[in-house]
Amino acid sequence: MRTFPFSAVVGSEDMALALILTTISPEVGGVLVRGEKGTAKTTMVRALAHVLPNISVIEGCRFSCDPTDPDPTCPDGPHDHPVAMSRPARLVELPVGATEDRVIGSLDLRRALGVGQVVYEPGLLAAAHRGILYVDEVNLLHDHLVDLLLDAAAMGRSTVEREGVSVAHAARLILIGTMNPEEGELRPQLLDRFGLTVEIAAPRDPESRAEVIRRRIAFDRDPAALVAAYAASEDELRVRIISARSLLPAVRLDDRQLATIAAVCSAFEVDGMRADIVTARAAAAHAAWHGRREITKSDIRAAARLALPHRRRRNPFDAPGLDEELLDRLLDEEPDPDSTPPDGPRPKGPATDSTRNGQRPEAVEDAIDDAAPSSAHQDLQPANSPPTSSGGNERIFSASETYQTRLFMAPGIGIGEAGRRSRALTSTGRTVGAIPANQDRGQLHFTATIRAAAPHQSARGRLPAGQLRLAIPDLRLAVTEGRESNLVLLVVDASGSMAARRRMEAVKAAALSLLLDAYQRRDKIGLITFRGTEAKLALPPTSSIDTAARRLEELPTGGRTPLAEGLLCAAETLRLERIRDARRRPLLVLVTDGRATHGPDAVGRSRLVADQLRRTGVASLVIDCESGRMSLGLAQTLSLHLAAQYLTVDEVGADQLLRAVRQGRAA
């Protein structure tokens, strides 16, 4: 199978540079490529393997040991008289759905069952040693596989302790991951392990897009002809990489350049020291790529643009990126005189007293749903809120500060994908039992397998001092209990009553805090809003927490309260999700004050729909955002119809629970 040539890819200069730098200096730490679908991310990674220089390995070694420096602990060693051979560097692809034993290796069952020997069968980490490990859609990788990659990236070794096997081997590899941010973000721990990151998008220039189509069609029509046309460019690129690798040890990094790198990283407030080290290594690789023995400001600038953006995120809702004007100033380059400095004046926040012109009586809150925005009502709007996007009574409130929420779980034990929320039988966790293997795949329960085989040893003719005789029906798989990820469906009241006493700011803060918690627990998120006369699925269930947060921040407020329609929309959304993924259990989170003002007998209809939802068995949580001295208790009554856990908006935070516990102890 022929591969599209690396030098034939149109555009994507930043991605090409990042890939080349990490191949020149693998210590840089790999590359994470973020971008929309259809931008040749996978094509470029696969093409990279064909321009990498060959590597020298020990003949017969399954772990690709270097003949000049063999691993003294190699499972295939010792290599006292190694015979060297040359082969191409490997590109090993790690599928998102790979099993743990396929990644790190496991017991060779054929040898164990056939001759009774405990033999280790290497996994993908061993195959990728001194090569490239490529993970497409790395943000969708299961957590237990992420943990394995973190260990290998941190230690440069893979350690296996399972099923009677105790093995450690070198696993120094170039980790390359690609992802579409719309499908969810990456765990911060793994994100930081990528040395460089690039954002990639399809070209907007019509001429460039036409050239992409032209080359792709030419490759599909005659792959050999296109590969031959770019053969000289590929050979030139390969020779240049070899030359840069040879020059890299001679590149000097003096104290002045180190001080510049430290100043840049400090100014961008990156976490830890890894950013400084990666920037220094990438700058040296960039200098070697251009044939220089001295690192210049242009090398530091190119390295910082690739090494710092993903390390500046303060929380999952912050978009990655780098202020290049600030970078230029730090490197003593002239910034654009027409631009506003990034550390210039900032807009002031909302006024501390939004109702300075008088408090609105609680009895008038019901009328807010239908009223046009009067001057008194406009006083409730935060000072920094955007103008209304349409006429009438729409207003957009910004959220107050987010916080850590309490842990809300679905009851019982599920069987969904591994995560960090509810109890479930998952592929990793605490072993709680064993089941016959049959045709299933999973982790072998070695002890249970031996116990199953023990009663049959006499019938199988085993001698007293002979080896254990195993048969296929003896195999047992471990049943492990851990945590699963859930579908968190947020149903948010955005009607006019939410504007009273700036209630919507607290509602958005609670919802954003729940989104942050869902991100950390690897959940899928859906967002439904209801206002006016209808409910809207603002965000279909997705793993992209950034998108959910953006939709929530931009959510306008105003109009009547169609509570029943919001619940009906939630019921339909959950029905469709059960068809798509029956194993993922939902958690319905309804944020409302319980009021219903749209349609005849609005409150009664909402309770009837709540009864229907309760009969489906969905786990629910009602967050009551009613405030003021007069409480109608409508949300609490609704929670009874839903059989839902009930909390006020002030009780969502984990600190509220901790404070209550402390007060109880003091009493």
Side-chain angles (χ1 to χ4, degrees), residues 1 31 87 130 257 265 268 350 374 382 397 433 469 614-615:
M1 179 179 178
V31 181
R87 67 162 175 79
R130 301 179 64 204
Q257 294 153 348
C265 295
F268 282 108
S374 63
F397 290 84
R469 293 182 177 270
R614 183 192 71 242
R615 287 191 285 269

Side-chain angles (χ1 to χ4, degrees), residues 355 360 365 368 377 380 395 397 495-504 557 625 627:
T355 56
R360 186 174 298 276
E365 287 188 6
I368 295 177
H377 198 172
L380 296 172
R395 292 169 303 283
F397 290 84
S495 63
S497 65
M498 292 296 102
R501 284 187 297 277
R502 298 172 70 164
R503 188 183 293 170
M504 198 61 190
T557 304
C625 51
S627 59

Side-chain angles (χ1 to χ4, degrees), residues 562-568 590 593-596 598 600-615 626 632-643:
L563 178 55
E565 284 70 17
L567 294 174
L568 285 171
L590 175 62
D593 58 4
R595 299 170 186 268
H598 172 66
D601 191 18
V603 174
R605 286 179 59 244
S606 65
R607 293 174 179 174
L608 286 175
V609 179
D611 291 334
Q612 295 174 10
L613 269 171
R614 183 192 71 242
R615 287 191 285 269
E626 189 174 29
L632 301 179
L634 296 174
Q636 188 169 15
T637 302
L638 186 65
S639 70
L640 298 176
H641 286 268
L642 278 171

Side-chain angles (χ1 to χ4, degrees), residues 47 100 150 194 209 217 403 441 446 451 486 519 575 660:
E100 183 177 344
L150 287 174
F194 283 99
R209 296 175 74 94
I217 291 177
Y403 46 83
R441 295 179 60 87
F446 202 65
R451 284 200 301 264
N486 297 110
Y519 164 79
R575 185 187 70 82

Side-chain angles (χ1 to χ4, degrees), residues 650-651 653-667:
D650 294 330
E651 296 172 335
D655 57 337
Q656 300 292 333
L657 179 62
L658 181 61
R659 190 178 301 117
V661 170
R662 288 174 176 171
Q663 290 174 352
R665 288 178 177 174

Side-chain angles (χ1 to χ4, degrees), residues 18-99:
L19 293 176
I20 288 172
L21 293 183
T22 198
T23 56
I24 293 173
S25 175
E27 291 79 9
V28 166
V31 181
L32 174 66
V33 184
R34 297 163 47 95
E36 57 197 22
K37 51 187 176 291
T39 48
K41 300 187 295 294
T42 301
T43 298
M44 286 196 71
V45 175
R46 289 174 177 167
L48 176 68
H50 290 266
V51 297
L52 292 181
N54 287 359
I55 63 172
S56 179
V57 299
I58 295 177
E59 187 176 2
C61 179
R62 297 174 297 168
F63 300 87
S64 303
C65 281
D66 187 346
T68 62
D69 185 22
D71 182 5
T73 63
C74 176
D76 284 355
H79 301 297
D80 297 328
H81 304 286
V83 177
M85 61 172 289
S86 178
R87 67 162 175 79
R90 288 174 180 161
L91 171 68
V92 178
E93 298 194 31
L94 172 59
V96 171
T99 58

Side-chain angles (χ1 to χ4, degrees), residues 338-404:
D338 297 329
S339 64
T340 303
D343 53 351
R346 300 179 183 274
K348 295 183 179 180
T352 56
D353 183 7
S354 62
T355 56
R356 57 189 179 274
N357 292 333
Q359 295 291 334
R360 186 174 298 276
E362 291 82 357
V364 189
E365 287 188 6
D366 285 331
I368 295 177
D369 287 349
D370 303 318
S374 63
S375 58
H377 198 172
Q378 289 172 351
D379 288 339
L380 296 172
Q381 186 172 347
N384 63 341
S385 292
T388 55
S389 56
S390 60
N393 52 0
E394 282 191 5
R395 292 169 303 283
I396 298 179
F397 290 84
S398 60
S400 55
E401 188 176 354
T402 58
Y403 46 83
Q404 182 181 357

